[in-house]
Amino acid sequence: NAGVTQTPKFRVLKTGQSMTLLCAQDMNHEYMYWYRQDPGMGLRLIHYSVGEGTTAKGEVPDGYNVSRLKKQNFLLGLESAAPSQTSVYFCASKPAQGAPSHQPQHFGDGTRLSIL
Amino acid sequence: GESVGLHLPTLSVQEGDNSIINCAYSNSASDYFIWYKQESGKGPQFIIDIRSNMDKRQGQRVTVLLNKTVKHLSLQIAATQPGDSAVYFCAENRDKAAGNKLTFGGGTRVLVKP
C-alpha cells in the first residue's frame, strides 16, 4: 500500500514553460487536494476534488488548473510558470465525508518546483 | 504557535522532557481539528485529531487539548525524543460544505536537545 505518490519529486522550469504534476493514491479515497507550501509557512489549498470528474477552487487557485479523470489520480497543471510559483507542492487524499464523517487527510512527500 | 512570514516559532526542549505546542484557531464553527508532524523533505504526517464535542484526546505519547471558549488547541508530547524534532502544524476544518477543506496554521518547529 503506497499511499499517496507524487511525481516528479523535483523539477526546475523556466518562466513561461508548462508542466503537470501527478498525484496518485491507492487507498480508494474520494477526496483529493493540492496544496502549496512556501518557506516557513503552512499549507495553502490550491484546488480540490470530491470525486472523479469534479474539481473546485481552493484558497490560491490562480495560475493552476487541475483534472480528475480517474478516481486514483489528481493532476495539477501550470500552463505558464512564473517565479511566484516556486514552491513545494503537496497532494493529499481522504475518504468521503460520512465514511465516517471526519477522517484526516493523507499526504504525499511533495514536489519541489523551482521557476527561474 | 502561529508563524509570522519566514520565522517559524521554535520550541527547544530537552530530550525526555514534555513538550507543549500551542495553536490558536479563528473560527468558532470549526468542528474538527488535526495535528500534523512534518519532517524535513517529507509531507505532513497525521499525529492525532479531535472533534469539537471533545476537550481532550490521548494517543501514544501525545495528547491534544481543545479549549473552545478561547479557541485554543494544544499538543502535548510526553518524554520528547530526538525523533520528535520536526515542524508541527495544527489544522481546522472550517468549511462544512463539500470537500472538508482544512485550514492550516503556520507551524511550530520543535528542536530536541540531547
Side-chain angles (χ1 to χ4, degrees), chain A residues 21-36:
Chain A
L21 281 65
L22 171 64
C23 177
Q25 52 94 5
D26 61 1
M27 297 174 283
N28 201 35
H29 286 169
E30 289 291 336
Y31 293 0
M32 296 186 75
Y33 309 82
W34 274 108
Y35 295 88
R36 61 177 288 171

Side-chain angles (χ1 to χ4, degrees), chain A residues 33 37 39-40 94 102 105 109, chain B residues 5-6 36 38 43 51 93 99:
Chain A
Y33 309 82
Q37 184 177 38
K94 69 180 289 290
H102 283 302
Q105 295 178 18
D109 281 336
Chain B
L6 296 175
Y36 283 95
Q38 187 177 27
R51 290 165 174 70
N93 179 26

Side-chain angles (χ1 to χ4, degrees), chain B residues 23-91:
Chain B
C23 180
Y25 65 94
S26 57
N27 191 337
S28 57
S30 293
D31 63 349
Y32 177 61
F33 304 87
I34 309 178
W35 281 100
Y36 283 95
K37 171 186 179 183
Q38 187 177 27
E39 296 173 290
S40 181
K42 297 284 189 180
Q45 177 186 4
F46 169 75
I47 303 174
I48 192 167
D49 57 4
I50 188 167
R51 290 165 174 70
S52 59
N53 61 354
M54 305 170 68
D55 54 19
K56 180 179 180 179
R57 191 169 187 215
Q58 288 186 292
Q60 186 178 11
R61 282 202 307 120
V62 294
T63 301
V64 55
L65 299 178
L66 176 63
N67 185 332
K68 293 182 287 292
T69 302
V70 294
K71 291 186 284 190
H72 183 267
L73 193 67
S74 68
L75 177 70
Q76 300 178 1
I77 305 173
T80 311
Q81 302 170 359
D84 295 327
S85 291
V87 177
Y88 291 79
F89 293 97
C90 64

Side-chain angles (χ1 to χ4, degrees), chain A residues 9-62:
Chain A
K9 296 190 187 309
F10 305 93
R11 186 73 183 268
V12 179
L13 291 179
K14 294 181 180 179
T15 298
Q17 287 185 315
S18 63
M19 81 160 295
T20 301
L21 281 65
L22 171 64
C23 177
Q25 52 94 5
D26 61 1
M27 297 174 283
N28 201 35
H29 286 169
E30 289 291 336
Y31 293 0
M32 296 186 75
Y33 309 82
W34 274 108
Y35 295 88
R36 61 177 288 171
Q37 184 177 38
D38 298 302
M41 296 180 70
L43 286 81
R44 293 184 292 168
L45 183 65
I46 305 172
H47 286 282
Y48 66 99
S49 168
V50 299
E52 183 178 316
T54 71
T55 63
K57 293 181 180 179
E59 181 187 357
V60 288
D62 294 342

